[in-house]
Amino acid sequence: MSQFEHVTVLKKANVYFDGGVTSRTVVFADGSKKTLGVMLPGQYQFTTDVVEIMEITAGDLLVLLPGETEWKPFTGGMQFEVPAGATFKVDVKTITDYVCSFISVS
Amino acid sequence: MSQFEHVTVLKKANVYFDGGVTSRTVVFADGSKKTLGVMLPGQYQFTTDVVEIMEITAGDLLVLLPGETEWKPFTGGMQFEVPAGATFKVDVKTITDYVCSFISVS
């Protein structure tokens, strides 16, 4: 799937780490939300509110998932999942394009 | 208008200038196209294919429009228009969030 159809896109960008990470919020008809983001090379730490599925569209990065001690490599076409209320780190080697899905359990 | 509804968003990011400028392409029901972009501080030169209307959502930049010799300041809430087939330069002072509308005349 190369595009998301019948969605709402928020006009305002989400900007983190002085622009090292930026994203746009996309809302689907069912109310679910994804962000389409770009991470420039660098190390960043994130904390999740809900479960997040990070799908790497393009790029090259190392990820330290919660509770793990080993950084694992990810490239375009791969994805990883992070539990709610958890912290993970990324070490972005080349510009990384991603889709983050937020999974709210109600 | 803080969001665009009933649109298609391309999953893949547009990346220019080593990530200094990135954007996402949004396609509207009538086939018209906008990009939602972020420019990090720096100087960039662009050449248009069609008329472009650049609406600054947030940020602070100087713009050298085609045929002009004076850089003019723009901030959030302002916009400028560039003719088709023209070159313009921007000198981004703080992270700039923009919406670019592409006006094809058929």
Side-chain angles (χ1 to χ4, degrees):
Chain A
M1 182 179 44
S2 64
Q3 60 190 35
F4 298 117
E5 299 178 358
H6 308 299
V7 296
T8 294
V9 182
L10 305 196
K11 202 161 154 181
K12 188 173 161 37
N14 309 305
V15 177
Y16 309 100
F17 304 107
D18 277 333
V21 179
T22 58
S23 72
R24 301 281 170 176
T25 302
V26 178
V27 184
F28 290 74
D30 65 359
S32 67
K33 200 178 78 170
K34 296 184 195 293
T35 54
L36 301 185
V38 172
M39 298 191 285
L40 302 184
Q43 292 203 359
Y44 311 105
Q45 177 172 309
F46 301 94
T47 298
T48 62
D49 286 325
V50 297
V51 173
E52 293 185 11
I53 297 172
M54 282 283 285
E55 177 190 347
I56 308 304
T57 307
D60 182 14
L61 72 165
L62 298 173
V63 179
L64 185 63
L65 288 166
E68 300 201 358
T69 54
E70 190 190 343
W71 292 76
K72 289 182 182 156
F74 287 84
T75 59
M78 299 175 73
Q79 66 174 49
F80 59 91
E81 184 173 328
V82 186
T87 293
F88 68 103
K89 294 179 183 177
V90 298
D91 184 356
V92 176
K93 300 302 187 185
T94 64
I95 297 175
T96 293
D97 185 7
Y98 70 87
V99 179
C100 181
S101 301
F102 298 88
I103 313 297
S104 294
V105 180
S106 55
Chain B
M1 182 178 43
S2 65
Q3 59 188 35
F4 298 117
E5 299 178 358
H6 309 297
V7 296
T8 294
V9 183
L10 305 196
K11 202 161 156 181
K12 187 173 162 38
N14 308 307
V15 177
Y16 309 100
F17 304 107
D18 277 333
V21 178
T22 59
S23 72
R24 300 282 170 176
T25 303
V26 178
V27 184
F28 289 74
D30 65 0
S32 66
K33 200 178 78 170
K34 296 183 195 292
T35 54
L36 302 184
V38 173
M39 298 190 285
L40 301 183
Q43 292 203 359
Y44 312 105
Q45 176 173 309
F46 301 95
T47 298
T48 62
D49 285 326
V50 297
V51 173
E52 293 185 11
I53 297 171
M54 282 284 285
E55 177 190 345
I56 308 304
T57 307
D60 181 13
L61 72 164
L62 298 173
V63 179
L64 185 64
L65 288 165
E68 300 201 357
T69 53
E70 191 191 342
W71 291 78
K72 290 183 180 155
F74 287 83
T75 59
M78 299 174 73
Q79 65 174 51
F80 58 91
E81 185 173 327
V82 186
T87 293
F88 67 103
K89 294 179 182 178
V90 299
D91 184 357
V92 176
K93 300 303 188 185
T94 65
I95 297 175
T96 293
D97 185 7
Y98 69 86
V99 179
C100 181
S101 300
F102 298 88
I103 313 297
S104 294
V105 180
S106 55

